[in-house]
């Protein structure tokens, strides 16, 4: 197995990999008694594997949402997510999975808007439909919105109303068939588990959320970390994977690396350095996260982290990870095809039937209007100038969150809006945030090849 993990001379000479090799040798002798309970249905060794990776679905069921005034006010205060079509987007994911027929589908947390029990229950039904429609097995972990969330609300007419949240025990119960019941190993200290969709590739599904004080503080914690007890458990998982010649992919809600230098407190794990060291020791080279809602791939010292954008935000994409024995991993992204789904059910909703352009315009308009308002409020821009700058920034936002700034960077930097945005260092939010998006050079955010 280690030979397969170290296919190049460069990797062989990397001290981190030597450390990983050393680590993996030690516990193999010290705790040789660990035995894997590989599920009966696990795909045989030497086979191809296809995994879909979605994140931050932020689903809210229509059972507790009448889309009335109260909900519209909630949507307008949001971040541009297409919450009005949450039900339809999730239904399209189910429909698309039927066609793509991946072996596994992962959702890396923030399954719901604010952890409403009704949304969780209905989400589990959708996951069941995915599993019933073919060979796909769904695996989920919680995000910071999902458990013990005191902000769980339903919407009726002009008012919000308090609705049930769920406990960690209920999360495990509701999603029993989507990870927990088929776990190879379960962490006793968190909702983390190890899954083996195939004998060659295992999923280390990590619960990085902090929710125990949410109710007392009347506020769901945003930040995350990997508990010391869970770190010890991860070492055991790595040992087991090593003994079974399996490669491990880690899945977390919170980020391992910094994906945006103005937006990382509470997003990147509080103990990210420790986690990076641990993953390195365990020979983990690929991590999927979510939380920040930005499609962004960062790598350091042989570890690649794919932060998946939110399924509920344009371009409503999920990742497709293909594994071929001897070749490794190939990752790309794909948008849910809402137009096709809407056609299949005979929908007459024009927004759904022209979803691609509707969803792009929706997201761009939210960004444009918000930026324009803040520029005018700053008193530093005329209306014409504010229009130019807001146009540039809304285009940048659309590209940035979907991981595609590279495609329009030159055009944006040549624009009048960019020139005007640079004429002042105020308002600071604008200049700092714009630079953080525009100057984020690096590897592709929408494709990855990992031998
Ligand atoms: Fe989220």
């Amino acid at each position: 197995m280690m030979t397969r993990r170290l296919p190049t001379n460069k990797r062989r000479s990397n001290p981190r990999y030597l450390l990983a090799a050393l680590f993996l040798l030690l516990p193999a002798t010290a705790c040789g008694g660990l035995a894997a309970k590989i599920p009966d249905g696990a795909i045989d060794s030497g086979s191809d594997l296809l995994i879909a990776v979605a994140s931050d679905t932020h689903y809210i069921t229509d059972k507790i949402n009448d889309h009335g005034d109260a909900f519209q006010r909630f949507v307008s205060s949001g971040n541009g997510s297409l919450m009005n079509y949450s039900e339809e987007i999730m239904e399209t994911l189910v429909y698309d999975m039927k066609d793509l027929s991946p072996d596994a589908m992962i959702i890396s947390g923030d399954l719901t808007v604010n952890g409403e029990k009704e949304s969780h229950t209905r989400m589990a039904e959708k996951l069941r439909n995915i599993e019933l429609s073919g060979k796909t097995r769904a695996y989920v972990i919680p995000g910071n919105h999902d458990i013990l969330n005191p902000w769980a609300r339903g919407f009726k007419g002009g008012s919000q109303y308090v609705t049930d949240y769920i406990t960690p025990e209920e999360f495990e119960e509701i999603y029993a068939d989507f990870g927990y019941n088929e776990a190879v190993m379960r962490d006793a200290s968190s909702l983390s588990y190890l899954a083996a969709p195939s004998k060659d590739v295992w999923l280390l599904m990590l619960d990085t959320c902090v929710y125990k004080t949410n109710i007392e503080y009347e506020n769901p914690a945003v930040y995350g970390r990997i508990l010391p007890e869970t770190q010890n458990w991860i070492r055991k998982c790595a040992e087991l994977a090593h003994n079974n010649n399996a490669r491990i992919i880690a899945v977390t809600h919170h980020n391992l690396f910094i994906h945006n230098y103005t937006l990382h407190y509470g997003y990147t794990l509080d103990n990210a350095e420790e986690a990076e060291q641990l993953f390195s020791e365990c020979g983990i080279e690929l991590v999927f996260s979510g939380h920040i809602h930005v499609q962004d791939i960062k790598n350091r010292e042989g570890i690649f982290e794919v932060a998946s954008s939110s399924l509920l935000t344009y371009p409503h994409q999920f990742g497709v990870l293909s594994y071929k024995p001897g070749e490794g991993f190939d990752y790309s992204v794909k948008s849910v095809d809402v137009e096709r789904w809407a056609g299949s059910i005979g929908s007459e909703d024009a927004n759904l039937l022209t979803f691609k352009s509707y969803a792009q315009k929706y997201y761009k308009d939210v960004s444009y209007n918000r930026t324009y308002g803040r520029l005018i409020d700053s008193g530093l821009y005329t209306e014409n100038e504010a229009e130019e700058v807001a146009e540039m920034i809304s285009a940048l936002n659309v590209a940035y969150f979907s991981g595609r700034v590279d495609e329009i960077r030159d055009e944006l930097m040549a624009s009048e809006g960019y020139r005007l945005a640079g004429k002042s260092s105020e308002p600071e939010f604008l200049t700092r945030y714009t630079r953080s998006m525009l100057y984020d050079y690096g590897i592709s955010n929408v494709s990855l090849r990992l031998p």
Side-chain angles (χ1 to χ4, degrees):
M1 180 198 66
M2 290 308 293
T3 317
R4 202 175 56 191
R5 276 195 184 136
L6 304 169
T8 67
N9 289 332
K10 187 170 162 239
R11 283 188 180 177
R12 284 194 187 95
S13 62
N14 183 333
R16 280 176 178 271
Y17 285 94
L18 296 176
L19 189 64
L22 189 63
F23 161 79
L24 287 164
L25 282 174
L26 286 174
T29 37
C31 332
L34 277 174
K37 294 179 292 174
I38 313 286
D40 293 342
I43 293 163
D44 270 342
S45 188
S47 308
D48 292 358
L49 186 71
L50 193 67
I51 304 177
V53 189
S55 196
D56 297 75
T57 47
H58 286 290
Y59 169 68
I60 181 164
T61 172
D62 282 351
K63 278 188 183 170
I64 54 166
N65 177 20
D66 67 356
H67 294 254
D69 290 350
F71 187 64
Q72 297 315 319
R73 281 198 299 276
F74 180 68
V75 171
S76 339
S77 69
N79 57 7
S81 290
L82 199 43
M83 284 192 274
N84 265 314
Y85 285 107
S86 165
E87 196 77 61
E88 290 81 359
I89 289 166
M90 272 312 298
E91 277 306 308
T92 306
L93 184 68
V94 176
Y95 191 68
D96 284 1
M97 287 302 119
K98 210 183 289 184
D99 263 18
L100 184 68
S101 192
D103 300 293
M105 189 197 76
I106 293 167
I107 305 181
S108 52
D110 277 2
L111 308 172
T112 58
V113 167
N114 268 321
E116 318 81 30
K117 188 174 189 170
E118 288 280 9
S119 301
H120 278 300
T121 311
R122 186 74 190 110
M123 170 63 95
E125 284 172 28
K126 290 183 195 293
L127 298 178
R128 197 170 307 287
N129 287 342
I130 289 175
E131 291 202 343
L132 288 173
S133 72
K135 62 175 181 180
T136 308
R137 306 184 94 101
Y139 300 95
V140 303
I141 47 165
N144 54 302
H145 283 251
D146 290 324
I147 294 177
L148 292 174
N149 191 333
W151 294 352
R153 297 288 181 275
F155 299 86
K156 193 167 185 193
S159 314
Q160 296 188 3
Y161 62 92
V162 173
T163 186
D164 286 348
Y165 53 74
I166 62 165
T167 62
E169 294 75 23
E170 286 172 314
F171 186 91
E172 184 164 357
E173 209 175 294
I174 292 169
Y175 297 107
D177 291 338
F178 311 113
Y180 295 97
N181 274 354
E182 52 220 314
V184 174
M185 294 223 310
R186 269 283 285 122
D187 176 30
S189 314
S190 73
L191 287 169
S192 306
Y193 60 93
L194 178 68
S198 92
K199 288 177 182 160
D200 290 340
V201 179
W202 291 7
L203 304 173
L204 186 61
M205 306 293 291
L206 298 176
D207 170 15
T208 54
C209 301
V210 178
Y211 33 77
K212 292 195 172 119
T213 52
N214 286 355
I215 302 303
E216 185 191 339
Y217 295 168
E218 298 178 2
N219 192 16
V222 174
Y223 71 99
R225 43 80 196 110
I226 303 178
L227 287 167
E229 299 86 336
T230 303
Q231 293 181 34
N232 290 333
W233 173 80
I234 290 171
R235 289 189 176 91
K236 288 182 187 159
C237 292
E239 177 198 345
L240 198 59
H242 171 65
N243 292 342
N244 284 275
N245 293 326
R247 284 174 84 162
I248 290 186
I249 296 171
V251 180
T252 59
H253 181 63
H254 295 81
N255 307 125
L256 178 65
F257 296 138
I258 290 174
H259 290 274
N260 179 294
Y261 64 77
T262 69
L263 196 69
H264 57 91
Y265 290 112
Y267 289 92
T268 301
L269 289 163
D270 273 20
N271 57 348
E273 266 183 44
E274 208 171 38
E276 187 182 344
Q277 178 65 33
L278 173 66
F279 288 176
S280 182
E281 283 173 14
C282 292
I284 295 171
E285 298 167 277
L286 186 55
V287 182
F288 283 95
S289 67
H291 194 30
I292 194 166
H293 292 201
V294 176
Q295 179 69 36
D296 192 70
I297 303 180
K298 291 270 183 287
N299 70 309
R300 191 159 71 184
E301 303 286 340
I303 300 179
F304 289 80
E305 183 197 359
V306 179
S308 302
S309 50
S310 164
L311 188 76
L312 200 59
T313 305
Y314 181 82
H316 309 279
Q317 61 196 2
F318 58 88
V320 181
L321 181 72
S322 149
Y323 170 77
K324 286 189 193 303
E327 290 180 32
F329 295 102
D330 211 340
Y331 171 85
S332 58
V333 296
K334 188 175 168 50
S335 292
V336 283
D337 195 343
V338 176
E339 292 172 19
R340 192 178 70 106
W341 170 80
S344 80
I345 61 155
S347 170
E348 291 179 2
D349 184 329
N351 295 340
L352 294 175
L353 294 170
T354 58
F355 190 77
K356 237 180 251 171
S357 52
Y358 165 75
Q360 187 189 49
K361 185 173 178 334
Y362 177 87
Y363 188 45
K364 201 171 171 207
D365 285 354
V366 169
S367 170
Y368 179 95
N369 293 333
R370 212 162 273 177
T371 308
Y372 179 83
R374 292 177 83 166
L375 291 170
I376 293 295
D377 289 349
S378 75
L380 296 164
Y381 295 86
T382 65
E383 285 182 10
N384 282 346
E385 287 174 338
E387 278 172 20
E388 295 279 2
V389 177
E391 184 57 41
M392 185 276 290
I393 288 180
S394 57
L396 176 58
N397 255 316
V398 170
Y400 180 67
F401 281 84
S402 60
R404 292 175 174 89
V405 169
D406 286 351
E407 294 171 17
I408 60 161
R409 181 182 286 112
D410 292 347
E411 187 190 326
L412 290 182
M413 289 176 80
S415 71
E416 180 64 2
Y418 178 75
R419 192 188 67 76
L420 289 165
K423 77 169 190 177
S424 157
S425 59
E426 297 291 333
E428 196 194 351
F429 88 88
L430 180 72
T431 50
R432 271 176 59 78
Y433 186 51
T434 304
R435 283 180 200 141
S436 75
M437 293 192 283
L438 204 49
Y439 305 156
D440 186 31
Y441 299 95
I443 56 175
S444 166
N445 298 313
V446 290
S447 66
L448 177 66
R449 178 100 192 82
L450 188 63

